[in-house]
Amino acid sequence: MIKALYLHIPFCSYKCPYCDFLSLVDAPLDHEEYVNLLIEESRLYSHYERDIRTLYLGGGTPTLLKPDTLAYLIDGLDKVLDLSGVVEITVECNPETYTTEDFRKLRRLGVNRLSIGAQSFTEKGLRSLGRKHSVSDTVRAYHEAREAGFENINLDIMYAYPEQESQDLEVELEWIEKLRPEHVSAYMLTPYPNTPIGVEISRGALKVPEEDELSRIYNSLWTGLKELGYSRYEISNWSLEGFECKHNLVYWNMEEFLGLGVSAWGFIGRTRYGNTKNILKYAEFVRKGIRPVDKSVRLSERDLFEEFVILRLRLKEGLPKSFKHVVPSHLLRFFEEGERGIGIREEYMLLSNEIIAEVLVYNSDRTLSEVKNG
Ligand code: SF4
């Protein structure tokens, strides 16, 4: 049963030097053409059983689309897929794109969650990340979104960018305290080798924080957010009580979701699929009534186990208690048992990749149904 819908909007007004997403500055399709293709693509899935509860518009920069275009898109998808059960609609927004009036129009469309790409509240951080907006653009966008009635706002923050020092975290935390968003996503910069930042870091022209400094940055981040009353419910996500992102929980709980748009991913039945990353191919396939999928993997019982362990150990609640025996005894000191499950202790989250890898090696023959059925 499909529970969530993701839409990839690939347009951006500039390319950030760390970005590994499919984002296009000079796209060969205009916004209206692309939106019509998304609606066409949705028809290819209209026979699937679904109870769509969340809608997420990510990118790219969805707020490069005018609110009227987004209204047309959501209305078109509703007619095909029935979005009447949707309780959360998130739109990713870059700080320099929308005004109060645009935000008001978004609210009228039923969009009830905004994810603002702040990335840093220091000008140094923004320059290091190659962002074109300023801190005051972010603050303005945030206040205007509040004025327009948004009561559920996420701020995206990045850390471990070149030249960052642990004291820079104080500024990020001060702004979070002042603005008090309901949700904070904090991602460590990944220097992908195919990005300009990745190239500069690998040839030593840019320096990211070394292990000790990274550990200080990381500790300031999670202890600071905790002191501000945020609860970490996933490796990179914190929220005030009741404001966990429902859409992302669908991914982490391995529920089915439909992904539409160039380069979008989806998970239906036991199959993970990925759409083509070529927008012209995407358009050609959809116009012919063919799914624009170029990768499709049906998960084996073993794959299901591995994904389940990886995704659930990203969550604070961790694995269900009945899975406790899959954690080897020498790793138990990294775990804590809560009411609902057994998860990695917050102070060891920076080691989560290594811990998860060890759990998987220890359970190299296990499958999901075997563990679930005892
Ligand atoms: S705005 Fe976002 S999607 Fe666009 S280039 Fe920058 S990081 Fe990538």
Side-chain angles (χ1 to χ4, degrees):
M1 170 90 75
I2 294 168
K3 287 291 182 60
L5 173 59
Y6 172 79
L7 304 173
H8 191 77
I9 311 294
F11 309 108
C12 278
S13 51
Y14 58 89
K15 184 81 183 172
C16 302
Y18 59 88
C19 179
D20 183 47
F21 299 120
L22 195 274
S23 59
L24 302 167
V25 176
D26 290 311
L29 298 180
D30 67 29
H31 297 175
E32 285 68 25
E33 277 176 290
Y34 185 73
V35 156
N36 276 314
L37 288 167
L38 288 173
I39 297 168
E40 280 312 304
E41 190 189 357
S42 73
R43 293 188 209 287
L44 306 173
Y45 294 89
S46 60
H47 56 289
Y48 279 95
E49 207 186 340
R50 59 194 181 273
D51 174 20
I52 298 175
R53 312 293 292 171
T54 66
L55 172 58
Y56 193 104
L57 286 89
T61 308
T63 48
L64 282 183
L65 267 50
K66 297 256 179 297
D68 290 347
T69 310
L70 288 176
Y72 174 80
L73 171 61
I74 293 173
D75 184 52
L77 292 169
D78 182 34
K79 285 187 180 122
V80 180
L81 297 174
D82 180 13
L83 302 179
S84 58
V86 167
V87 294
E88 180 188 273
I89 305 182
T90 304
V91 171
E92 288 183 355
C93 160
N94 264 4
E96 70 279 21
T97 46
Y98 266 20
T99 61
T100 313
E101 193 42 39
D102 295 324
F103 287 129
R104 285 212 172 97
K105 287 183 182 165
L106 272 196
R107 281 295 293 130
R108 285 200 287 272
L109 281 179
V111 177
N112 54 7
R113 186 171 183 275
L114 205 63
S115 179
I116 300 179
Q119 312 311 350
S120 175
F121 283 98
T122 67
E123 295 298 339
K124 166 185 162 183
L126 292 176
R127 298 294 80 80
S128 173
L129 290 165
R131 302 285 293 189
K132 297 276 195 288
H133 60 90
S134 62
V135 173
S136 56
D137 287 332
T138 307
V139 174
R140 178 205 57 79
Y142 183 89
H143 287 309
E144 293 196 359
R146 284 286 193 226
E147 226 178 289
F150 277 95
E151 293 174 350
N152 188 357
I153 298 182
N154 169 60
L155 292 178
D156 271 345
I157 299 289
M158 289 196 99
Y159 65 96
Y161 54 76
E163 314 304 337
Q164 189 183 28
E165 296 161 297
S166 49
Q167 56 265 34
D168 295 326
L169 247 292
E170 283 168 29
V171 181
E172 313 291 1
L173 290 165
E174 274 166 25
W175 274 106
I176 289 168
E177 185 174 16
K178 265 189 239 170
L179 299 175
R180 202 84 187 137
E182 285 68 30
H183 193 284
V184 177
S185 298
Y187 294 101
M188 184 158 91
L189 173 74
T190 308
Y192 294 104
N194 56 332
T195 61
I197 274 197
V199 171
E200 294 296 287
I201 290 171
S202 67
R203 70 182 187 89
L206 288 175
K207 288 212 178 332
V208 283
E210 290 187 4
E211 212 175 313
D212 285 353
E213 187 66 347
L214 177 62
S215 169
R216 280 192 287 274
I217 289 171
Y218 178 77
N219 284 331
S220 309
L221 178 72
W222 76 262
T223 51
L225 287 171
K226 197 172 183 169
E227 277 164 22
L228 293 178
Y230 291 89
S231 160
R232 177 197 220 141
Y233 68 101
E234 195 266 349
I235 256 174
S236 308
N237 288 281
W238 287 257
S239 76
L240 299 179
E241 204 184 330
F243 287 96
E244 297 84 3
C245 176
K246 294 181 177 66
H247 182 85
N248 287 342
L249 282 168
V250 168
Y251 301 157
W252 299 320
N253 284 317
M254 282 186 83
E255 292 184 281
E256 293 176 41
F257 66 94
L258 178 59
L260 301 177
V262 61
S263 83
W265 282 89
F267 181 49
I268 301 179
R270 281 166 66 154
T271 300
R272 291 210 181 274
Y273 70 88
N275 279 352
T276 173
K277 293 183 171 180
N278 180 320
I279 194 165
L280 292 175
K281 268 197 193 155
Y282 169 79
E284 190 187 327
F285 276 111
V286 174
R287 283 185 188 123
K288 286 183 181 157
I290 301 169
R291 285 185 199 162
V293 170
D294 78 355
K295 277 188 214 83
S296 179
V297 183
R298 186 175 157 77
L299 301 186
S300 65
E301 274 291 328
R302 174 65 194 169
D303 296 333
L304 288 171
F305 175 79
E306 289 191 0
E307 286 214 3
F308 186 78
V309 169
I310 293 168
L311 292 169
R312 289 300 291 254
L313 286 182
R314 292 184 65 93
L315 292 173
K316 181 175 191 253
E317 73 177 69
L319 294 164
K321 284 190 170 180
S322 58
F323 277 61
K324 190 176 170 185
H325 61 287
V326 309
V327 180
S329 54
H330 69 281
L331 291 183
L332 278 173
R333 69 191 175 93
F334 296 111
F335 283 78
E336 67 186 342
E337 240 178 291
E339 268 173 38
R340 298 172 61 187
I342 172 162
I344 298 174
R345 287 178 189 277
E346 198 158 9
E347 59 270 38
Y348 294 121
M349 277 290 185
L350 203 52
L351 298 174
S352 58
N353 286 344
E354 290 81 358
I355 295 171
I356 291 170
E358 278 208 48
V359 172
L360 291 176
V361 169
Y362 179 74
N363 296 280
S364 58
D365 295 333
R366 288 215 157 99
T367 63
L368 188 61
S369 55
E370 176 222 320
V371 180
K372 274 192 171 162
N373 302 327

